[in-house]
Structures are given as C-alpha cells and as structure tokens.
Amino acid sequence: MDQITFHYDTVLSDVHLLLPNVRHLMTRLNHVGQPVFISKFKILWDGERQDDNDAGKGLEEEEDRKGDEEDAQAEEGEEGGEGGVDPVLDEDGDLEVTRRPKTSPPEASDRDEVCPIILSQSTTVQEEEEEEEEVENEDKQRSKDIIRIEHTMATPLEDVGKQVWRGAFLLADYILSQQVMFRGATVLELGAGTGLASVVMAIVAKTVYCTDVGEDLLSMCQRNITLNRCLLEPAGGEVRVRQLDWLQHDLCTDADVEFSWTEEEVADLHDNTSFIIAADICYDDDLTDGLFRTLYRLSSNFSQPCVTYISIEKRMNFTLRHMDISCEAYDHFRRCLSQLQGLEDGRRRFRVERLPTAFPQRLQYERVEQLELWKVTATPLQFEVPSDSELLP
Ligand SMILES: C[S@@+](CC[C@H](N)C(=O)[O-])C[C@H]1O[C@@H](n2cnc3c(N)ncnc32)[C@H](O)[C@@H]1O
C-alpha cells in the first residue's frame, strides 16, 4: 500500500481564514500551479465607521455586505429568531437537529450565483502580462481606498510570503497613523511577501524598496504593486520590487537576474534610507539570525540615522520538546533584540523599544493582543546630540 504523506508544515494565515466572502474566488492558477486569489482591503480614512476586531467586513464590497445581512435576516426569520424554538431531544436526551429542506433559489434572485471556475492556468509570462494590462485598465475605474492583493492560501512554510499576515496590517496601520513622519522618505521593506505594507508606505513615502526572495514571490509582489498603482499615483510614491536575501552578504547587482539592483539603486539605498520596515518575519531561528545580521549590516552602512519598525505576532505552539505551550520563535526574536539594545560599535548606537499599539485601526482585521510593534533606532555617533553632562567641562 502506498504511504500516506501528511503535509504537516502547511500554514494558513488568519487573515484569509477569517475573511472568506463570495468575491474570494480563485481567479486562476499561477505558473507553478498554485491557486491565486485576489482580496480587497478597504482603508478607513477619518470619519468612516470602524468595527475594530470585526475581521470579516473590511474585504467586502457594500453589495456583498448587504447580501450577507439579508441572508442572516432570512435565516433568522425562518428559524424563528433567537429563543423562538424549543430544542428537540431524543429519548437519551441528545439534541436532534432538524435540517432545513433544500430550496432552489428563486428565479428572480438579484444575487449572483457563486460558480468558482478556474478560467485557465497561466503558463507564459506573456499571458500574465496580458492579464496585468487588463487589470491596469480596470484600475482606472477603481476606488482610491481599496488595496487589492493577489495571494495564495494555505502554503507550505517556504511560501508563507504568498499570504497576507496580520503583522502587515498592524504595520500598515502604524504607517497610516504616522504619515507626516514618513512623507517623502526612502524606505526599505524586508520580507515584504505580497507587498501590502510597501503599498501603504508608498501612499506617503517617496521611494520604497520592497524586498524578499524567490522569483515567483517577487513576481506576485510586483503584480500587486501594479494592481494598486491608482493608490500610489496621486502622491507620486514609487515601489521598486527587489531581491534581498538575509542569508546573502551582498545585494545582487547582476543585470541578468530578475529583481536585481542597479548600482544607482544601491547608492540611493545607502545614502537616503531613513526607515526600514518588516512585518511578521520571525518564524525560524536561522532566518531570524540572518535578518538581524542584515539589519545590523545595512543600518551600519546607511549614511542617515535609520529607524526600523518590526511587527510580530507572538504565536503560541504546543511543543513535544517542552510538553507545554511555548513561543520559541518569538523568544528568539526577543533575544536578538536584546543583543542590539544599547550596542555601540564605534560608528552606531542602537536603541530598542516596544511601541504601544493603541493607534487607530484603518484596516479591518483582528488586532489581537499578541500583535506587537518594535522600534530599533540606529544612530551614527556623529549625529548624536551630546547630553548636558557630556558638554560640561
Ligand atoms: C510570514 S511572511 C510575511 C510576509 C509579509 N511581510 C506579511 O506580513 O504579510 C515572511 C516573509 O519573509 C520572507 N523571507 C524568508 N526568508 C527570507 C530570506 N532569507 N530573505 C528575505 N526574505 C525572507 C518570506 O519570503 C516571506 O515573504
């Protein structure tokens, strides 16, 4: 008999788990055969109603919402509403559930029938480009406050970047709450995944280097930047999708490699970057070590003082090793942070602080208490203002 293989390392982001709706249809398979979905995330600007922690609503267009409400009302009506029906028990006292008879939809229903169809599998780059062009034309019609993100669902660990994670929302909320600070800045995002935080950053910043690894993921990220062009154009912000591997010492400048850097971009990054952002990037200790080495190396080479914002979700897992609940990846992240805290290497001084997360919620997701935001400041020593005591003779 064939052996059954369990894919124990497949993960699904809570963002996608909690937000299904009729528009969450698979649009196609990407060229490596993974189902691709497009989700919409609405930015709630000042004055709009926010239902914090109401995970389902941000994605849905008004008509979807209306439809769902109507459905809920219809169900309540049919079941007689809360408290209207006495539970039916069998002779042992078990609850007997009466199933509602299946009815065919009324002919004149004004709701679209949901028929998920895989239209085609994109096989060539040309096909993907044609789709992009179509999307671009649609773009012009689109609302200025909807972020559209192409993503996959339930990926193996090595493809987690193809899903959107809650940390990206927390970071995006922070960016939207600090627009004055980020306006006109040059920003580097590490482990950008689908690129959601970079899109939001480019609403205010001048240049965002949106980085990750893997041609496949970077292509998806690039498509997301194109999908959201109408959000970025008014402010003139630009997103450049580039390869940056935390396990490599140098940036790739080989012109034959897709998503490589030009010499001008490398110079711009070193001379002008004042912020680094990273969302939900600590889930494997070796990668976390690589990330912190990269952070240290980059911010030591930047000409400007550099502030890094890292969002993280403290995930509890049961481990056989501990026979208990633990959060090893988070604990390792905290150890890396404490190694940076107070570090002075002759050129830079590093300071680490945890930021409060009480800033307004502009995107709708569940802002669970395990979501944290950390700030790492790297100040070149020549930029430091001497304290009063240091000035005294
Ligand atoms: C959990 S995902 C987070 C994606 C995105 N920031 C978000 O919050 O939605 C972690 C990201 O780290 C990236 N990553 C993993 N190893 C990396 C490496 N060696 N260099 C750069 N990025 C890496 C993954 O490709 C993935 O996009």
Side-chain angles (χ1 to χ4, degrees):
M1 200 181 113
D2 285 346
Q3 273 218 306
I4 298 171
T5 310
F6 290 100
H7 293 280
Y8 60 90
D9 63 345
T10 300
V11 286
L12 172 62
S13 163
D14 297 86
V15 169
H16 307 306
L17 179 70
L18 296 173
L19 295 169
N21 76 71
V22 290
R23 294 199 179 245
H24 251 116
L25 299 183
M26 178 161 68
T27 57
R28 63 187 167 83
L29 297 178
N30 63 16
H31 66 275
V32 289
Q34 293 167 327
V36 171
F37 299 77
I38 293 192
S39 292
K40 297 170 200 163
F41 304 102
K42 190 172 192 305
I43 303 175
L44 300 167
W45 298 107
D46 283 331
E48 285 190 73
R49 188 176 67 88
Q50 293 178 51
D51 287 340
D52 289 2
N53 298 333
D54 189 349
K57 292 187 180 150
L59 285 169
E60 299 172 352
E61 289 186 334
E62 276 310 313
E63 66 231 56
D64 293 339
R65 210 174 286 171
K66 206 169 127 222
D68 289 345
E69 278 163 16
E70 280 165 8
D71 271 2
Q73 277 166 12
E75 266 179 34
E76 261 186 35
E78 280 172 43
E79 304 288 349
E82 209 182 305
V85 181
D86 287 333
V88 181
L89 305 178
D90 67 11
E91 65 272 15
D92 313 325
D94 297 330
L95 185 67
E96 279 202 341
V97 180
T98 316
R99 300 210 175 271
R100 194 163 16 131
K102 280 200 173 139
T103 52
S104 44
E107 265 175 35
S109 165
D110 57 352
R111 299 201 68 194
D112 294 343
E113 229 180 286
V114 179
C115 306
I117 298 168
I118 304 169
L119 296 176
S120 63
Q121 173 163 352
S122 304
T123 44
T124 60
V125 173
Q126 193 199 342
E127 258 182 279
E128 286 191 356
E129 277 170 3
E130 278 167 12
E131 267 173 44
E132 265 168 41
E133 214 173 293
E134 250 175 61
V135 162
E136 230 175 276
N137 293 336
E138 270 179 41
D139 249 7
K140 299 198 174 101
Q141 320 293 329
R142 252 177 232 137
S143 152
K144 297 271 189 283
D145 49 13
I146 305 280
I147 305 172
R148 290 168 65 90
I149 295 291
E150 178 185 310
H151 61 90
T152 61
M153 289 207 210
T155 53
L157 261 185
E158 61 267 22
D159 271 338
V160 282
K162 291 178 181 169
Q163 302 182 56
V164 183
W165 298 87
R166 269 199 291 235
F169 285 113
L170 185 76
L171 193 56
D173 271 343
Y174 183 72
I175 295 164
L176 292 170
S177 75
Q178 299 291 332
Q179 294 183 44
V180 174
M181 180 169 76
F182 293 118
R183 184 148 296 135
T186 299
V187 181
L188 167 67
E189 178 169 14
L190 299 173
T194 59
L196 184 136
S198 281
V199 167
V200 172
M201 180 58 95
I203 294 173
V204 282
K206 177 170 159 259
T207 308
V208 183
Y209 291 104
C210 171
T211 69
D212 210 299
V213 281
E215 239 177 66
D216 210 31
L217 173 61
L218 291 169
S219 303
M220 177 180 262
C221 184
Q222 181 63 66
R223 276 196 296 281
N224 283 330
I225 304 310
T226 309
L227 266 174
N228 290 287
R229 203 177 279 168
C230 61
L231 272 174
L232 315 183
E233 270 165 3
E238 185 188 15
V239 182
R240 295 183 183 203
V241 178
R242 294 290 173 265
Q243 188 189 113
L244 193 159
D245 187 342
W246 314 326
L247 304 179
Q248 301 285 323
H249 193 273
D250 296 313
L251 297 176
C252 174
T253 50
D254 179 347
D256 292 335
V257 175
E258 244 202 303
F259 303 109
S260 61
W261 299 71
T262 63
E263 296 295 346
E264 291 74 31
E265 286 169 342
V266 175
D268 179 42
L269 181 80
H270 285 146
D271 294 345
N272 298 317
T273 304
S274 40
F275 298 104
I276 298 178
I277 55 171
D280 209 337
I281 26 64
C282 295
Y283 52 97
D284 171 286
D285 293 355
D286 292 336
L287 290 178
T288 303
D289 289 342
L291 168 83
F292 273 84
R293 276 196 299 273
T294 303
L295 255 186
Y296 174 75
R297 194 170 53 242
L298 285 172
S299 39
S300 294
N301 286 329
F302 288 168
S303 316
Q304 309 284 331
C306 178
V307 181
T308 302
Y309 294 98
I310 306 174
S311 68
I312 186 164
E313 184 168 342
K314 186 176 178 181
R315 294 191 179 89
M316 313 283 180
N317 291 309
F318 180 84
T319 61
L320 284 176
R321 189 150 65 91
H322 295 105
M323 287 305 282
D324 202 355
I325 306 286
S326 66
C327 29
E328 292 182 59
Y330 174 83
D331 294 341
H332 189 71
F333 166 73
R334 291 295 303 271
R335 277 194 293 278
C336 292
L337 279 180
S338 44
Q339 281 169 14
L340 269 188
Q341 172 68 308
L343 180 76
E344 208 182 301
D345 62 2
R347 289 191 301 163
R348 293 277 180 292
R349 180 173 294 164
F350 289 85
R351 219 179 46 242
V352 176
E353 56 195 299
R354 183 174 163 190
L355 298 180
T357 51
F359 41 86
Q361 196 167 334
R362 303 273 177 216
L363 289 150
Q364 288 183 319
Y365 60 102
E366 204 176 353
R367 195 183 279 181
V368 292
E369 62 184 29
Q370 291 81 10
L371 275 173
E372 299 182 359
L373 187 62
W374 290 83
K375 175 179 173 184
V376 178
T377 311
T379 317
L381 293 179
Q382 84 263 19
F383 275 86
E384 285 220 324
V385 182
S387 66
D388 287 348
S389 59
E390 282 169 327
L391 288 174
L392 286 174

